[in-house]
Amino acid sequence: MTAVADRSLGPELARTATIGSDTDVLVIGLTTSDDGPVIAPDDAFDDVLGAVTRAALLEQLRAVGAKGKAEELTRIPAPVELGVTSVLAVGLGAAEKVDAEQIRKSAGAAGRALAGVGTAVTTLSGLDLGAAAEGFYLGAYTFTPFKSDKSAPKPEEGPLRRVEFLVPEPEFGEEALFRAQATAEAVATARDFVNTPPSHLYPAEFASRAQQLAEAAGLEVEVLDEKALADKGFGGILGVGKGSSRPPRLIRISHRGGDKKVALIGKGITFDTGGISIKPAANMENMTSDMAGAAAVIATVLLAARLSLPVSVTATVPMAENMPSDTAQRPGDVLTQYGGTTVEVINTDAEGRLVLADAMVRAGEDEPDYLIDVATLTGAQLVALGTRTPGIMGTEEFRDRVARLSQEVGENGWAMPLPAELRADLNSKVADLANVTPHRNGGMLAAGLYLKEFVPEGVQWAHLDVAGPAYNTGGPFGYIGKGGTGVPVRTLLAVLDDIAAE
Ligand code: BES
Ligand code: ZN
Ligand code: MN
């Protein structure tokens, strides 16, 4: 169990005032204009590049057709006086539309394109050092613990190893780079957990890896095993986990930083077969991502500690494997959620809400001011909003605040309603609640309404359904590769920052 060693971090990040002698590639930004591409930022680093070199570079880039369109990549040999082998120009699009997210995406595209390069130096730091650093790091991220050749996916090359950010003076950007690196590493930690296959990441192992990371960071940790869960009455977590030979866990990790208390809850289904209500074979392998909510909240509480955020954060994370077997729960079974609510399990594939409800009631005992749950909860999220837009439900004011902050960091969450009329469809003939409605209408919202039943009185609540956004089954784009994306770690950080600033 070399758990925590199965991590793939990104390149080293550093600040620099000059182009070092062992630098391979210079990465510059280009914006579009009516007169062709323009180097951005337009005046910074002339002492390093030289005005003449700058003009020559632009000339050559135009000659090979560079336009500066968003994420366009153009690689040319470098003028000798620069002392690097080549120049990579990355498009930023129209100058007036360049924001932090565009810089992150363009830097990400550059980071992906530079596989095989040892050290890159970039002027993108002249636009936004933090965004550029996050983009490079996340774009260059690869996950290789299960490849015999660790430099895969391009074995002949290997990922980008180091990025240096040009700064105008030595003190510039130290704080921004520290924060960007911590943030990007947290996103990578979440990605690593998601990308670790279900053969290797099962509830006990997931809890143990999270515990190791948390203890190494000096955080308080509590792990409940299946016996403790049974003693305390965590019927939702036990019901979902009982079909698997690999028993469930509940882990709690706390960062104490201030008076305001935030409870984070993350769905940690290490694999979701659907249970007895089994899923079709096609694409079932993607259910390795069904613990992405757990991964995100664990990474976030670690990040809150690393950044010493002045807010108290407790992650409460239920972990279970949803399997069909002779010990599995059956459709029609009734279980008792932690706290006493009885539930008729009509569909064993609606397991996320069962483990989350237990965790939400437990988190409520800490009397938090805010409760945020994150889950790959419904296929209906993908139907409603597509693969890249998290659905955000909850108490209205906080829901809208979380959605706004998610937009601001480029994770693009969108506020969704919890229509009151759907609630009656969760009534059961034998228990307090049924775990599904008898129809498919508003599936994401019905799941949200189920969770709403377990929100502690008076607590501001947001529920993030990231079924699509947490796991990229398509090709790479911007700073996102295939597999785990780390969404919504940066949204959660923005929310914690915003609460800390109240
Ligand atoms: N983990 C799935 C949701 C999911 C689907 C995540 C696709 C990522 C991609 C969840 O446990 C599930 O199976 N939900 C059911 C709920 C239904 C039975 C009400 C679904 O969405 O089909
Ligand atoms: Zn699931
Ligand atoms: Mn399911």
Side-chain angles (χ1 to χ4, degrees):
M1 289 214 282
T2 45
V4 185
D6 288 358
R7 305 182 72 203
S8 296
L9 296 179
E12 263 180 75
L13 308 175
R15 292 170 303 126
T16 184
T18 55
I19 298 178
S21 57
D22 54 357
T23 306
D24 302 295
V25 180
L26 168 68
V27 181
I28 61 171
L30 288 183
T31 52
T32 56
S33 84
D34 293 344
D35 312 320
V38 176
I39 295 180
D42 54 11
D43 49 0
F45 308 119
D46 263 350
D47 48 337
V48 180
L49 296 189
V52 177
T53 305
R54 196 181 180 94
L57 271 177
L58 191 57
E59 192 70 16
Q60 286 171 22
L61 286 164
R62 280 171 195 257
V64 294
K67 303 267 185 291
K69 285 189 272 187
E71 290 133 78
E72 167 197 86
L73 295 166
T74 312
R75 193 135 165 209
I76 57 172
V80 268
E81 66 270 22
L82 276 177
V84 297
T85 315
S86 64
V87 173
L88 175 66
V90 60
L92 292 155
E96 63 277 11
K97 288 199 191 135
V98 178
D99 57 8
E101 178 63 4
Q102 184 56 59
I103 294 161
R104 224 176 265 122
K105 285 181 180 164
S106 297
R112 281 191 284 115
L114 291 179
V117 170
T119 297
V121 63
T122 185
T123 58
L124 289 178
S125 38
L127 295 167
D128 183 332
L129 188 149
E134 288 178 1
F136 267 103
Y137 187 98
L138 294 173
Y141 169 92
T142 57
F143 184 76
T144 56
F146 297 89
K147 295 279 192 185
S148 304
D149 182 338
K150 299 298 181 201
S151 60
K154 295 193 179 176
E156 72 286 4
E157 298 182 327
L160 174 62
R161 281 187 294 279
R162 181 176 165 89
V163 186
E164 296 182 344
F165 298 89
L166 282 166
V167 290
E169 63 241 16
E171 318 82 63
F172 183 91
E174 187 175 351
E175 189 59 39
L177 184 61
F178 170 75
R179 193 183 153 95
Q181 173 144 6
T183 304
E185 284 182 14
V187 173
T189 298
R191 289 181 179 182
D192 284 348
F193 275 133
V194 173
N195 290 334
T196 304
S199 46
H200 292 69
L201 198 79
Y202 45 93
E205 176 64 15
F206 191 10
S208 138
R209 293 187 191 198
Q211 180 170 18
Q212 283 179 56
L213 292 176
E215 282 174 355
L219 298 184
E220 263 172 66
V221 186
E222 176 192 28
V223 180
L224 301 187
D225 63 11
E226 69 275 25
K227 196 177 164 303
L229 289 167
D231 288 348
K232 297 180 196 295
F234 286 89
I237 300 171
L238 288 165
V240 172
K242 71 191 233 187
S244 174
S245 60
R246 308 196 287 186
R249 293 287 182 268
L250 179 73
I251 181 167
R252 290 173 34 88
I253 305 173
S254 296
H255 158 69
R256 287 181 208 283
D259 295 336
K260 281 276 179 322
K261 287 193 262 181
V262 182
L264 298 178
I265 317 284
K267 173 179 174 183
I269 300 297
T270 58
F271 195 73
D272 182 13
T273 64
I276 297 295
S277 312
I278 198 163
K279 289 181 180 295
N283 308 314
M284 202 202 276
E285 69 280 7
N286 293 338
M287 287 302 112
T288 183
S289 68
D290 214 18
M291 34 55 69
V297 306
I298 291 165
T300 300
V301 69
L302 295 169
L303 178 59
R306 187 163 174 196
L307 297 177
S308 308
L309 294 188
V311 54
S312 291
V313 184
T314 297
T316 302
V317 186
M319 299 170 171
E321 183 175 56
N322 191 19
M323 296 289 279
S325 76
D326 64 336
T327 62
Q329 62 180 348
R330 292 156 290 264
D333 279 0
V334 170
L335 58 74
T336 304
Q337 300 270 193
Y338 184 69
T341 303
T342 60
V343 180
E344 183 186 6
V345 181
I346 290 177
N347 188 322
T348 65
D349 198 11
E351 84 296 343
R353 59 199 76 182
L354 300 175
V355 301
L356 290 168
D358 278 5
M360 286 167 68
V361 175
R362 173 64 188 89
E365 292 173 356
D366 302 339
E367 300 184 346
D369 300 289
Y370 300 92
L371 188 153
I372 308 173
D373 75 83
V374 184
T376 48
L377 203 57
T378 66
Q381 180 277 321
L382 281 143
V383 176
L385 294 171
T387 55
R388 300 187 191 175
T389 305
I392 307 189
M393 290 140 276
T395 51
E396 287 183 15
E397 199 184 323
F398 189 52
R399 171 200 67 191
D400 290 346
R401 183 172 167 195
V402 174
R404 174 177 55 77
L405 291 163
S406 180
Q407 296 274 323
E408 279 175 23
V409 301
E411 289 186 334
N412 299 332
W414 199 256
M416 298 297 286
L418 292 172
E421 72 276 9
L422 271 177
R423 169 60 186 82
D425 300 342
L426 289 169
N427 288 339
S428 158
K429 62 184 187 306
V430 295
D432 300 338
L433 275 176
N435 78 327
V436 293
T437 65
H439 55 74
R440 293 157 42 104
N441 305 336
M444 170 171 54
L445 319 177
L449 281 162
Y450 184 91
L451 297 180
K452 186 176 177 215
E453 295 294 312
F454 301 91
V455 176
E457 196 60 38
V459 175
Q460 302 211 54
W461 168 56
H463 159 54
L464 279 63
D465 193 337
V466 291
Y471 196 68
N472 178 26
T473 56
F477 56 93
Y479 52 88
I480 308 263
K482 286 178 190 283
T485 63
V487 173
V489 168
R490 291 186 306 104
T491 295
L492 296 175
L493 172 61
V495 173
L496 294 180
D497 265 333
D498 205 55
I499 289 171
E502 272 172 8

